[in-house]
Amino acid sequence: KVVVALGHRALGTTMPEQYKATRKTAKAIADLVEAGADVVISHSNAPQVGMIQTAMTEFARLDSKYTVAPMSLCSAMSQGYIGYDLQNALREELYNRDIYDIPVATMVTQVRVDEKDPAFEHPSKPIGHFMTKEQADFAEQHYGYIMKEDAGRGYRRVVASPQPQEIIEIGAIRTLVES
């Protein structure tokens, strides 16, 4: 078994970059499959979740009957669309190599964290776009965001990044890998 972990910007920062990166990544993963490896892919979703959160916030700003999506939902959305691109790219690459008997699936996962993790008291992970001081003040007042100045480039929302304690879907993951 081989776990391929794709880091923070491995899949690009825009949808077109992600589409291209997943095709390139699929070739390397297909090489592993051809060599006989059972492959599990894990990936970061940092740039993507920030883009989704920013888009959902802007949508809520344009029409008051809509609300800002919570980060958990934005994370699930990003996992879904990254997984969609990865599984389609990998399946296509496997088919190009006449490999038809390897199933490819995407799973959206959740993690359990310790509610007493100090990261909740000191959010430090910047997400989303840069804002002016006035925009940051508005986001703090209207959305309850915690905003921090980011290296002289403007203000960004910061969220907690607690240590994962458990992958909720680990049983389903093991079942898929073992089958």
Side-chain angles (χ1 to χ4, degrees):
K1 292 180 179 40
V2 174
V3 176
V4 175
L6 303 172
H8 179 66
R9 294 186 183 268
L11 297 174
T13 59
T14 66
M15 284 188 201
E17 286 177 7
Q18 178 177 299
Y19 183 84
K20 184 177 177 181
T22 56
R23 266 82 198 137
K24 183 177 178 182
T25 299
K27 291 180 186 310
I29 293 169
D31 290 344
L32 293 170
V33 171
E34 278 190 320
D38 292 327
V39 180
V40 174
I41 305 165
S42 176
H43 60 79
S44 168
N45 65 343
Q48 292 85 352
V49 74
M51 287 185 292
I52 290 170
Q53 193 277 329
T54 298
M56 298 299 285
T57 299
E58 185 62 25
F59 185 60
R61 188 175 298 135
L62 294 174
D63 190 331
S64 63
K65 70 181 173 191
Y66 296 102
T67 60
V68 175
M71 284 303 297
S72 58
L73 184 59
C74 294
S75 180
M77 288 180 195
S78 66
Q79 288 181 56
Y81 96 77
I82 293 167
Y84 178 83
D85 276 355
L86 273 171
Q87 82 179 27
N88 285 337
L90 182 54
R91 185 175 292 117
E92 182 179 329
E93 184 61 30
L94 292 172
Y95 286 2
N96 288 342
R97 297 177 188 208
D98 296 323
I99 300 171
Y100 302 102
D101 61 342
I102 304 294
V104 180
T106 294
M107 179 173 290
V108 174
T109 59
Q110 303 172 85
V111 295
R112 184 181 60 77
V113 298
D114 181 349
E115 65 186 36
K116 294 179 180 151
D117 189 309
F120 288 114
E121 294 180 28
H122 305 286
S124 61
K125 184 175 185 172
I127 64 162
H129 65 287
F130 290 95
M131 297 181 207
T132 65
K133 174 73 171 136
E134 293 76 25
Q135 291 169 320
D137 289 344
F138 181 89
E140 284 181 329
Q141 288 180 329
H142 289 84
Y143 305 120
Y145 292 171
I146 298 171
M147 307 298 292
K148 298 241 172 129
E149 198 280 325
D150 189 350
R153 299 178 289 177
Y155 291 80
R156 292 177 78 189
R157 179 181 181 194
V158 290
V159 296
S161 188
Q163 288 295 314
Q165 301 295 309
E166 172 188 20
I167 299 170
I168 304 300
E169 294 78 13
I170 195 66
I173 293 167
R174 285 187 178 120
T175 298
L176 283 170
V177 171
E178 289 169 5
S179 71

